[in-house]
Amino acid sequence: MKKLYVLLVLIVLIATQIAILSSIYPISERGSSDASEPVTVFISKMNYASLRVKVDVTTWLDPAVLLFSNGTQIEIPASSTYTFSVVMPHNGFSFGSYNTQSRFMNLSDDHPINVEFLSNYTLNPYWELPSNEYVSSDSMYWFTVQGQANIAVMGIGAGF
Amino acid sequence: MTEENLLDKMAEFKTAIDQVKKYRKLAITMIDFVLIIVTSIILLLTLNIGVNILNLHGFDISSTILGLLPIFDIIILSVGVFTGIIFVNRKMNTVTTLQWKNTLDEGTPGVLKLLQETNWENIFSEIRYAKLGFALYGVLKIVTYWLISAFAFAVIAGFTFVNIFHFSFNIGSLWMVSFVFALVLNAKDLRNRYEQIGRLDSLLLEFRWFEREFRRTDFQA
Amino acid sequence: MKGNSGEPISKPDLYVLARVIKTLKEKNKMNKTALSISTGLSYDRLIKYLDWMAKKGFIEFDVNNDVVLTKLGAETYDQLVKWILQYVGKVRFQKI
C-alpha cells in the first residue's frame, strides 16, 4: 500500500514536470532585409514570461546598418556576421487569460513569446503597444536592419 | 499407473506449484517495476528541464548537446527498463523451489506427506495472483515498448521528415504508429501470455477438483 | 491424533503408517530399534503405531520380537498406493 502512495506522488511529479516542460519554448526564427526594404524585428513576450535569444545578422556583398531602439547604430561590414544577445527576464505576475494581436505582436496563453519581422515599419511601436498587467513596454524589444542581410533569432523562452 | 508414475505425477504437481509461486512473486514485484520505470521518466524529464533552464539563464549549452537530448532520453528510459527487468528476475529467482524433492524421494509415503501438507486455499490464491502478475507484466511491457518507440520515432522523424524532407508530422500519428509498433513487437508474447493464463485457469480447475475429491474420500485402513 | 501422549492412537497418520510398511516391505523384518531409526520416528511413537498395526493385523512379531509385515499389511499398502493413484492419476498438469 505504501508503494502505491509513493507511485501516486511520483505520477503527480511527472505531471508537474510535463507542465513545466510544455511551458518552455524553443525560439528559431529567420528573416532577411535588403537595401530597399529594411526589416524591423520585434521580440515580444507576456510580462510573466522570460526569454534569452541570440541574434545573428549576416551580410552578403554589401554592408548593412543595425539600428537599435535606443538610437544606437552599428555598421556591419560586407560578408560578416554580427551577433548579440537579448535577455528579457520575467517582469510581472498576472492572473487570468489574455491575448493580443497587432502587426508586430501575437501573444496568447499558449504563445507567450513572439518574434515578428516587419518590412518598412516606420511608426513608433509604443503608440501601438497595449499597456496592461500582461504586456508592458519592458516586454518588447526591437531593432531594424537596413541593407541586404539575413537575420536569425535563436534561443529559448519560458512561460515563467 | 504404477508407483513410479505416481512419483512423476507428483513431481509435475509440485513443479507446477513452484512455477505458480514464481508468477505470484512477479505480480507482487510489478509495483517495483513500475516505480523503477517512473523514476527513470522523472530523471529524463529533470534532465530536459535542467538543460532548458540552464540555457534560459545564460549557460552556453552547445547545440550538439541540445540535439542529443532525445538520444539521452531514450538511453535513460532503456536503462530504466533494463534495470526493472533485472530487478524482477532477481526477485523471481529468490523464490525457493524444489524443497519437496527430498520428501518425494521417500516414495508413496512422501507423496502422502506432500498431499497432507498442501494448503489448498493458499495455492488457489497464488494461482489467481499468478494470472494477475502475468497479465500485468504483459501490459507494462507493451506500454514501455510504446514509450521507447515513440521517443525513437520522434528522433528519427525529426531528423528525416522534418530536416531532410521538410514534412511536418502530427504528434497523434506518432503515438498511434508507435503503439501499433509496440503491439506488433509483442504479438508473440501476447499470444503466449493469453495461452499461459488459460493454462493457469485449467490448473486452478484441476486443483479444485482434486482438493474436493481428495478431502471427501477417506482411506479406510 | 498423533499419539504423543501416553494414550493409544485413535486415528493414525497415514504418512507414518506408509513409511513403516514401506520400510518393512523393503527389509522383510526388522527389530524395533532399527525400525525406529529407519523411519525417523521416536521409539515411543513407533511402539504406539506398532501396537495399533498389530491389532489391525498389518504386522506381527516373531520369536525374536522382530517386526514382520503380514500379507494384509502388504495388501493394505498396495490399496493405499492405488487410492492415491486413483485421484492423482486423473489430474492433468499442463506445462506452465
Side-chain angles (χ1 to χ4, degrees), chain A residues 122-153:
Chain A
T122 52
L123 296 175
N124 186 340
Y126 286 118
W127 297 347
E128 296 183 74
L129 179 73
S131 192
N132 52 44
E133 66 195 280
Y134 300 97
V135 184
S136 62
S137 54
D138 290 336
S139 298
M140 194 171 66
Y141 181 87
W142 70 94
F143 59 91
T144 305
V145 178
Q146 290 172 336
Q148 202 175 37
N150 286 336
I151 307 154
V153 180

Short mmCIF file of all heavy atoms in Angstrom, two decimals, chain A residues 122-153:
data_model
loop_
_atom_site.label_atom_id
_atom_site.label_comp_id
_atom_site.label_asym_id
_atom_site.label_seq_id
_atom_site.Cartn_x
_atom_site.Cartn_y
_atom_site.Cartn_z
N THR A 122 7.73 52.14 -40.00
CA THR A 122 8.27 53.46 -39.71
C THR A 122 7.65 54.11 -38.48
O THR A 122 8.09 55.15 -38.03
CB THR A 122 8.08 54.40 -40.92
OG1 THR A 122 6.69 54.33 -41.28
CG2 THR A 122 8.95 53.98 -42.08
N LEU A 123 6.63 53.50 -37.96
CA LEU A 123 5.93 54.11 -36.82
C LEU A 123 6.67 53.84 -35.52
O LEU A 123 7.57 53.01 -35.47
CB LEU A 123 4.50 53.56 -36.72
CG LEU A 123 3.58 53.89 -37.89
CD1 LEU A 123 2.26 53.18 -37.72
CD2 LEU A 123 3.36 55.40 -38.01
N ASN A 124 6.22 54.52 -34.47
CA ASN A 124 6.76 54.27 -33.15
C ASN A 124 5.91 53.16 -32.51
O ASN A 124 4.72 53.37 -32.30
CB ASN A 124 6.69 55.54 -32.30
CG ASN A 124 7.37 55.35 -30.95
OD1 ASN A 124 7.56 54.22 -30.50
ND2 ASN A 124 7.73 56.45 -30.32
N PRO A 125 6.52 52.02 -32.21
CA PRO A 125 5.70 50.90 -31.70
C PRO A 125 5.02 51.21 -30.38
O PRO A 125 3.99 50.64 -30.04
CB PRO A 125 6.70 49.75 -31.53
CG PRO A 125 8.03 50.25 -31.88
CD PRO A 125 7.92 51.64 -32.38
N TYR A 126 5.60 52.15 -29.60
CA TYR A 126 4.97 52.47 -28.32
C TYR A 126 3.54 52.97 -28.52
O TYR A 126 2.68 52.83 -27.65
CB TYR A 126 5.78 53.52 -27.55
CG TYR A 126 7.05 52.96 -26.94
CD1 TYR A 126 8.30 53.44 -27.32
CD2 TYR A 126 6.98 51.93 -26.00
CE1 TYR A 126 9.45 52.91 -26.77
CE2 TYR A 126 8.13 51.40 -25.45
CZ TYR A 126 9.37 51.91 -25.84
OH TYR A 126 10.51 51.39 -25.30
N TRP A 127 3.27 53.59 -29.67
CA TRP A 127 1.92 54.07 -29.92
C TRP A 127 0.93 52.90 -30.02
O TRP A 127 -0.24 53.04 -29.72
CB TRP A 127 1.87 54.87 -31.24
CG TRP A 127 2.70 56.11 -31.20
CD1 TRP A 127 3.27 56.73 -30.12
CD2 TRP A 127 3.08 56.89 -32.34
NE1 TRP A 127 3.97 57.84 -30.51
CE2 TRP A 127 3.87 57.97 -31.87
CE3 TRP A 127 2.82 56.82 -33.71
CZ2 TRP A 127 4.40 58.95 -32.73
CZ3 TRP A 127 3.34 57.79 -34.54
CH2 TRP A 127 4.13 58.84 -34.06
N GLU A 128 1.42 51.78 -30.53
CA GLU A 128 0.53 50.63 -30.74
C GLU A 128 0.63 49.57 -29.66
O GLU A 128 -0.03 48.53 -29.72
CB GLU A 128 0.88 49.96 -32.08
CG GLU A 128 0.65 50.84 -33.29
CD GLU A 128 0.95 50.11 -34.59
OE1 GLU A 128 0.15 49.24 -35.00
OE2 GLU A 128 2.00 50.38 -35.18
N LEU A 129 1.46 49.83 -28.67
CA LEU A 129 1.68 48.80 -27.65
C LEU A 129 0.57 48.83 -26.61
O LEU A 129 0.29 49.88 -26.04
CB LEU A 129 3.04 49.06 -26.98
CG LEU A 129 3.45 48.11 -25.86
CD1 LEU A 129 3.85 46.77 -26.44
CD2 LEU A 129 4.61 48.69 -25.08
N PRO A 130 -0.07 47.69 -26.37
CA PRO A 130 -1.05 47.68 -25.27
C PRO A 130 -0.26 47.74 -23.96
O PRO A 130 0.81 47.16 -23.86
CB PRO A 130 -1.73 46.32 -25.42
CG PRO A 130 -0.77 45.47 -26.13
CD PRO A 130 0.09 46.37 -26.97
N SER A 131 -0.74 48.46 -22.99
CA SER A 131 -0.01 48.52 -21.73
C SER A 131 -0.94 48.12 -20.59
O SER A 131 -1.86 48.85 -20.26
CB SER A 131 0.55 49.93 -21.52
OG SER A 131 1.47 49.89 -20.45
N ASN A 132 -0.74 46.91 -20.12
CA ASN A 132 -1.58 46.43 -19.03
C ASN A 132 -0.74 45.46 -18.19
O ASN A 132 0.47 45.39 -18.37
CB ASN A 132 -2.85 45.77 -19.61
CG ASN A 132 -2.52 44.72 -20.66
OD1 ASN A 132 -1.60 43.92 -20.48
ND2 ASN A 132 -3.24 44.75 -21.77
N GLU A 133 -1.42 44.75 -17.30
CA GLU A 133 -0.67 43.84 -16.42
C GLU A 133 -0.05 42.68 -17.18
O GLU A 133 0.79 41.97 -16.65
CB GLU A 133 -1.60 43.31 -15.32
CG GLU A 133 -2.71 42.43 -15.87
CD GLU A 133 -3.82 42.19 -14.89
OE1 GLU A 133 -3.67 41.34 -14.03
OE2 GLU A 133 -4.86 42.86 -15.03
N TYR A 134 -0.48 42.45 -18.43
CA TYR A 134 0.03 41.29 -19.16
C TYR A 134 1.21 41.65 -20.06
O TYR A 134 2.14 40.87 -20.22
CB TYR A 134 -1.08 40.68 -20.03
CG TYR A 134 -2.26 40.22 -19.22
CD1 TYR A 134 -3.40 41.03 -19.08
CD2 TYR A 134 -2.24 38.98 -18.57
CE1 TYR A 134 -4.46 40.61 -18.32
CE2 TYR A 134 -3.31 38.56 -17.82
CZ TYR A 134 -4.42 39.38 -17.69
OH TYR A 134 -5.48 38.97 -16.93
N VAL A 135 1.14 42.83 -20.65
CA VAL A 135 2.19 43.24 -21.57
C VAL A 135 2.54 44.69 -21.27
O VAL A 135 1.65 45.54 -21.15
CB VAL A 135 1.71 43.14 -23.04
CG1 VAL A 135 2.85 43.47 -23.99
CG2 VAL A 135 1.18 41.76 -23.35
N SER A 136 3.81 44.98 -21.13
CA SER A 136 4.22 46.37 -20.89
C SER A 136 5.39 46.70 -21.81
O SER A 136 5.84 45.85 -22.58
CB SER A 136 4.63 46.54 -19.43
OG SER A 136 5.75 45.71 -19.17
N SER A 137 5.88 47.91 -21.70
CA SER A 137 6.97 48.34 -22.59
C SER A 137 8.24 47.51 -22.36
O SER A 137 9.04 47.34 -23.28
CB SER A 137 7.26 49.82 -22.39
OG SER A 137 7.50 50.06 -21.01
N ASP A 138 8.41 46.96 -21.15
CA ASP A 138 9.61 46.13 -20.89
C ASP A 138 9.50 44.77 -21.56
O ASP A 138 10.46 44.00 -21.55
CB ASP A 138 9.79 45.91 -19.38
CG ASP A 138 10.21 47.19 -18.69
OD1 ASP A 138 10.78 48.06 -19.38
OD2 ASP A 138 9.95 47.32 -17.48
N SER A 139 8.31 44.46 -22.07
CA SER A 139 8.11 43.14 -22.65
C SER A 139 8.30 43.15 -24.15
O SER A 139 7.89 42.21 -24.83
CB SER A 139 6.71 42.63 -22.31
OG SER A 139 6.56 42.52 -20.93
N MET A 140 8.89 44.23 -24.67
CA MET A 140 9.10 44.26 -26.11
C MET A 140 10.48 44.83 -26.42
O MET A 140 10.95 45.74 -25.75
CB MET A 140 8.05 45.13 -26.78
CG MET A 140 8.02 44.94 -28.28
SD MET A 140 6.65 45.74 -29.04
CE MET A 140 7.07 47.44 -28.74
N TYR A 141 11.07 44.26 -27.42
CA TYR A 141 12.40 44.70 -27.85
C TYR A 141 12.41 44.70 -29.36
O TYR A 141 11.86 43.81 -29.99
CB TYR A 141 13.47 43.73 -27.29
CG TYR A 141 14.88 44.11 -27.66
CD1 TYR A 141 15.60 45.00 -26.88
CD2 TYR A 141 15.48 43.59 -28.82
CE1 TYR A 141 16.89 45.36 -27.22
CE2 TYR A 141 16.77 43.96 -29.16
CZ TYR A 141 17.46 44.84 -28.36
OH TYR A 141 18.74 45.19 -28.70
N TRP A 142 12.99 45.74 -29.94
CA TRP A 142 13.07 45.72 -31.41
C TRP A 142 14.37 46.34 -31.91
O TRP A 142 15.02 47.09 -31.23
CB TRP A 142 11.84 46.39 -32.04
CG TRP A 142 11.77 47.87 -31.86
CD1 TRP A 142 12.20 48.83 -32.72
CD2 TRP A 142 11.23 48.56 -30.74
NE1 TRP A 142 11.96 50.09 -32.24
CE2 TRP A 142 11.35 49.95 -31.00
CE3 TRP A 142 10.62 48.17 -29.53
CZ2 TRP A 142 10.92 50.92 -30.11
CZ3 TRP A 142 10.19 49.15 -28.65
CH2 TRP A 142 10.35 50.51 -28.93
N PHE A 143 14.68 45.98 -33.12
CA PHE A 143 15.82 46.57 -33.82
C PHE A 143 15.52 46.51 -35.31
O PHE A 143 14.68 45.74 -35.76
CB PHE A 143 17.14 45.82 -33.48
CG PHE A 143 17.12 44.36 -33.83
CD1 PHE A 143 17.56 43.93 -35.08
CD2 PHE A 143 16.67 43.42 -32.92
CE1 PHE A 143 17.54 42.58 -35.41
CE2 PHE A 143 16.66 42.08 -33.24
CZ PHE A 143 17.08 41.66 -34.48
N THR A 144 16.21 47.39 -36.06
CA THR A 144 15.97 47.45 -37.50
C THR A 144 17.26 47.18 -38.25
O THR A 144 18.33 47.62 -37.82
CB THR A 144 15.43 48.85 -37.89
OG1 THR A 144 14.27 49.11 -37.11
CG2 THR A 144 15.08 48.93 -39.37
N VAL A 145 17.17 46.45 -39.34
CA VAL A 145 18.34 46.17 -40.19
C VAL A 145 18.08 46.81 -41.54
O VAL A 145 17.06 46.55 -42.21
CB VAL A 145 18.55 44.64 -40.35
CG1 VAL A 145 19.73 44.37 -41.28
CG2 VAL A 145 18.76 43.99 -39.01
N GLN A 146 19.02 47.69 -41.94
CA GLN A 146 18.93 48.33 -43.26
C GLN A 146 20.05 47.80 -44.12
O GLN A 146 21.21 47.80 -43.70
CB GLN A 146 19.10 49.86 -43.13
CG GLN A 146 17.94 50.54 -42.47
CD GLN A 146 18.23 52.01 -42.19
OE1 GLN A 146 19.38 52.43 -42.08
NE2 GLN A 146 17.17 52.79 -42.06
N GLY A 147 19.73 47.35 -45.31
CA GLY A 147 20.73 46.77 -46.21
C GLY A 147 20.48 45.28 -46.31
O GLY A 147 19.69 44.70 -45.56
N GLN A 148 21.19 44.66 -47.24
CA GLN A 148 20.93 43.25 -47.52
C GLN A 148 21.58 42.37 -46.43
O GLN A 148 22.81 42.38 -46.28
CB GLN A 148 21.51 42.90 -48.89
CG GLN A 148 20.87 41.68 -49.49
CD GLN A 148 21.37 41.43 -50.91
OE1 GLN A 148 22.55 41.64 -51.22
NE2 GLN A 148 20.47 41.02 -51.77
N ALA A 149 20.76 41.61 -45.72
CA ALA A 149 21.30 40.76 -44.64
C ALA A 149 20.29 39.66 -44.30
O ALA A 149 19.08 39.84 -44.49
CB ALA A 149 21.58 41.58 -43.39
N ASN A 150 20.84 38.57 -43.77
CA ASN A 150 19.98 37.52 -43.20
C ASN A 150 19.97 37.67 -41.69
O ASN A 150 21.00 37.96 -41.09
CB ASN A 150 20.54 36.12 -43.54
CG ASN A 150 20.30 35.77 -44.99
OD1 ASN A 150 19.40 36.29 -45.63
ND2 ASN A 150 21.13 34.89 -45.51
N ILE A 151 18.80 37.51 -41.14
CA ILE A 151 18.66 37.71 -39.69
C ILE A 151 18.14 36.41 -39.09
O ILE A 151 17.15 35.84 -39.57
CB ILE A 151 17.66 38.83 -39.37
CG1 ILE A 151 18.04 40.11 -40.13
CG2 ILE A 151 17.58 39.09 -37.87
CD1 ILE A 151 16.87 41.02 -40.40
N ALA A 152 18.83 35.94 -38.05
CA ALA A 152 18.38 34.72 -37.36
C ALA A 152 18.22 35.02 -35.88
O ALA A 152 19.12 35.60 -35.27
CB ALA A 152 19.39 33.59 -37.55
N VAL A 153 17.09 34.66 -35.35
CA VAL A 153 16.83 34.85 -33.91
C VAL A 153 16.64 33.45 -33.32
O VAL A 153 15.68 32.75 -33.65
CB VAL A 153 15.55 35.69 -33.67
CG1 VAL A 153 15.30 35.86 -32.18
CG2 VAL A 153 15.66 37.03 -34.37
#
